Amino acid sequence: MAYCLPSDLYLYGLPRGALASPGRLVESVSTADDALQLDGHGFDDGTVVQFRAAGGGALPSPLVASTDYHVIVVDDWHFQIAASAGGAAIDITTAGTTFAVYAPLPVAATLNKVSRMIDDMLPAHVVPLVEPYPDVVRITCAELSAAELLALTGGTSVTLGAMYDTARKRLDRWARGVPIRGTNAPHPAQHAYAASSRPLPSWKRYGGIA
């Protein structure tokens, strides 16, 4: 259960196209081993990846552009791909030329993760929130999710850092018992709540956001 939608990421500050999945050029393909070489690929077994030709290149056969494939890790420099999770390696018959591999961004998983972070910061008696969610909760969820997703793409910025800090401070206020405001907030959330004796969480900077 996420407190915002993917479309909210753009509604509350991200420009369209900001979350494009970054791709890296595959260095070589071995048709003998059905393996692709990419130094420090960073994939785990089962990671979902897609391929696209770049600069007039061509995909290896039988790969199809914008189709989900599942990684089989050979080592830190090589991987194979399967048509389904846990499946056998695809038989690659041609090496292709100039093509990129990329992993689609985990948008849904990130929205859910951030929503659970918001739950952890709100007073226990008001969670889980029920729809319609207060606008400020949707905004906070979108801001924090955008920060995490942009960190994955390497697209962080000073503006993003400021947006993240604003959302973080909002959560800190909720953790101290400051109630959610607004007509959409559930009734118990309008009541004052004594601050917990537990210390506030130690925040880490996602993706090096300063």
Side-chain angles (χ1 to χ4, degrees):
M1 177 181 64
Y3 290 149
C4 70
L5 301 173
S7 58
D8 290 330
L9 298 173
Y10 301 102
L11 181 63
Y12 296 119
L14 278 182
R16 293 286 173 182
L19 292 179
S21 298
R24 290 183 290 166
L25 292 177
V26 174
E27 295 166 22
S28 65
V29 176
S30 170
T31 56
D33 299 326
D34 301 319
L36 297 85
Q37 179 180 348
L38 179 59
D39 288 356
H41 55 71
F43 298 136
D44 296 316
D45 281 326
T47 298
V48 175
V49 296
Q50 296 182 359
F51 298 90
R52 59 173 176 248
L59 295 181
S61 296
L63 303 189
V64 178
S66 302
T67 298
D68 287 347
Y69 296 99
H70 299 260
V71 167
I72 302 171
V73 174
V74 177
D75 54 36
D76 289 343
W77 304 274
H78 303 85
F79 64 96
Q80 300 171 317
I81 53 171
S84 59
I90 292 175
D91 179 19
I92 297 179
T93 58
T94 66
T97 58
T98 317
F99 67 96
V101 59
Y102 62 101
L105 291 174
V107 175
T110 299
L111 296 183
N112 278 290
K113 172 187 174 182
V114 169
S115 297
R116 301 297 71 77
M117 183 185 355
I118 291 174
D119 281 349
D120 189 54
M121 298 295 291
L122 287 168
H125 68 286
V126 305
V127 296
L129 300 177
V130 296
E131 295 186 90
Y133 305 125
D135 286 344
V136 69
V137 172
R138 290 177 55 210
I139 292 168
T140 301
C141 182
E143 289 170 340
L144 293 174
S145 297
E148 291 214 20
L149 291 166
L150 276 174
L152 292 176
T153 70
T156 57
S157 65
V158 173
T159 300
L160 174 62
M163 182 175 71
Y164 178 85
D165 283 342
T166 297
R168 187 194 69 182
K169 290 175 183 177
R170 195 177 301 130
L171 288 186
D172 285 345
R173 283 166 53 83
W174 293 342
R176 292 188 177 93
V178 177
I180 300 172
R181 307 293 182 181
T183 57
N184 288 338
H187 182 68
Q190 302 290 357
H191 297 167
Y193 180 77
S196 170
S197 59
R198 65 184 176 90
L200 291 175
S202 175
W203 289 88
K204 76 172 184 177
R205 299 286 186 166
Y206 293 99
I209 298 172

